[in-house]
Amino acid sequence: MSSSSSCQPKTLRIGIIGFGPFAQFLAKTMMKQGHCIHVTSRSDYSELCTDLGILFFRDMGAFLESDNEVIMISTSILSLSQVVESIPFNCLKRPTLFVDVLSVKEHPKDVLLRMMPRECDLLCTHPMFGPESGKDGWEDLTFMYDMVRIRDQPLCSSFLHIFSSEGCKMLEMTCEKHDRLAAQSQFLTHTIGRILSEMEVEPTPIDTKGFQKLVQVKESSVKDSFDLFSGLFIHNRFARQQMKNLEVALEKTKEKLQERSKELQDPIISKF
């Protein structure tokens, strides 16, 4: 199936589990499009939801009984298993499309396929943007998705239309391929940023353009929680190899510098 840009828009009843900043960011566009949003979360977002015109449920059972067509899971990576285990799936009133929006893909796919009812569909996604990069709209921003188990094609297409209609680049990809590529890009970027943060790298009066970009990488990485960073490592099986590759590359670079230093060592200068 291609992206949903050709399907007719349909107003959806979307339930969201986990209502942190990223879910709030997505929900605002969904509401702008006319979709009905229900929310449940471990933290109390009742006041915020009231301000946004969203129905907030403290009780997970009541949330599941509110007849959502789609349930979007937007928890932290580290808490996903615990949250899914706590879901009373028997309260569902209908076969439901479950959608995850986590930054790793194989982990939520495995957890949800193992725990959710077989009659429910599963769409694994990763919007490759957030509140900062998407603050001026989603045009040309990438939305990755994997239709893991889809029998209700019109419902799946209607959900994907939320993103395609905003101008996202719709990229269909397996969860495995996503995690392999994300380890080379997202995880590596976060790792470099965290290393620069540990080094307490700061702007200087003589910054080059390249160094300015490194500072931006550091500042962007530390804006995200350490839980997110550790989740990218713990629950992406390809991340460990990238960490090893980084360590090996650093050692090789040091060895090359040491060898060149020996080659160019001036016996006269070395006396001083």
Side-chain angles (χ1 to χ4, degrees), residues 109-125:
K109 171 187 172 182
D110 294 343
V111 169
L112 286 163
L113 283 179
R114 186 171 70 252
M115 297 184 183
M116 72 182 196
R118 291 192 59 80
E119 62 268 20
C120 290
D121 285 355
L122 176 59
L123 176 69
C124 289
T125 78

Side-chain angles (χ1 to χ4, degrees), residues 173-219:
M173 176 184 295
T174 66
C175 292
E176 177 182 359
K177 184 175 181 181
H178 169 278
D179 282 3
R180 186 170 65 251
L181 295 178
Q184 298 170 11
S185 58
Q186 185 185 26
F187 173 71
L188 186 58
T189 301
H190 274 265
T191 302
I192 296 297
R194 290 285 171 175
I195 291 171
L196 294 173
S197 177
E198 290 293 334
M199 294 173 64
E200 299 184 349
V201 167
E202 297 292 342
T204 76
I206 56 170
D207 288 356
T208 61
K209 292 293 184 181
F211 183 75
Q212 289 173 1
K213 290 179 180 179
L214 283 178
V215 173
Q216 290 173 4
V217 168
K218 182 209 76 170
E219 293 176 347

Side-chain angles (χ1 to χ4, degrees), residues 241-258:
Q241 186 59 51
Q242 285 301 314
M243 185 68 82
K244 291 178 182 177
N245 293 347
L246 183 62
E247 293 170 349
V248 170
L250 178 59
E251 286 303 315
K252 284 184 177 179
T253 302
K254 287 168 57 179
E255 289 173 4
K256 288 180 179 179
L257 288 173
Q258 290 167 352

Side-chain angles (χ1 to χ4, degrees), residues 17 60-61 63-65 71 73 80-98 111-121 149:
I17 299 178
M60 179 74 79
F63 167 80
L64 293 182
E65 291 173 351
I71 291 181
I73 298 180
L80 175 72
S81 294
Q82 181 182 2
V83 170
V84 175
E85 285 174 355
S86 71
I87 297 175
F89 288 106
N90 60 296
C91 294
L92 288 170
K93 288 190 171 183
R94 60 165 69 223
T96 306
L97 171 62
F98 279 82
V111 169
L112 286 163
L113 283 179
R114 186 171 70 252
M115 297 184 183
M116 72 182 196
R118 291 192 59 80
E119 62 268 20
C120 290
D121 285 355
R149 186 168 73 198

